[in-house]
Amino acid sequence: MASGAEKKPSSAELTEKIRELLSARSSDSSICPSDVARAMSPDDWRPLMDPVREAAGAMVDAGEVDITQKGEVVDLATVRGPIRIRWAR
């Protein structure tokens, strides 16, 4: 997605980008939400951080991914600080 007056990506588009980035890595690797945001809007990625977390949260609810911090699975609703997204184990 290019910068400018384009629309914000949908939750479905962010979910698909999360899947795409995870699939491009080894099955035991994780990604940072900023990886997703930067892939969607390299020049204006910061506003996408909350929507990426929301999309990841829906994927957690569906049992598709885990949210981790320092290698441990955490609750996205209560965690503070940097997180990572990985395929559910």
Side-chain angles (χ1 to χ4, degrees):
M1 201 171 187
S3 63
E6 293 189 31
K7 69 175 183 67
K8 184 172 78 171
S10 69
S11 180
E13 290 169 320
L14 293 171
T15 298
E16 188 54 39
K17 185 56 72 173
I18 292 169
R19 289 183 185 127
E20 177 186 320
L21 292 175
L22 283 173
S23 293
R25 301 205 176 179
S26 68
S27 61
D28 60 344
S29 292
S30 63
I31 59 171
C32 180
S34 66
D35 296 335
V36 181
R38 284 181 169 111
M40 296 301 288
S41 184
D43 297 326
D44 192 28
W45 59 272
R46 288 187 191 276
L48 295 180
M49 290 299 290
D50 285 339
V52 169
R53 280 180 169 239
E54 290 168 13
M59 294 174 78
V60 167
D61 292 344
E64 192 171 353
V65 300
D66 292 326
I67 301 301
T68 63
Q69 189 174 58
K70 298 180 182 176
E72 299 296 320
V73 175
V74 295
D75 180 357
L76 185 58
T78 58
V79 70
R80 294 259 188 235
I83 61 166
R84 308 242 349 136
I85 305 165
R86 71 176 189 200
W87 291 121
R89 296 182 183 162

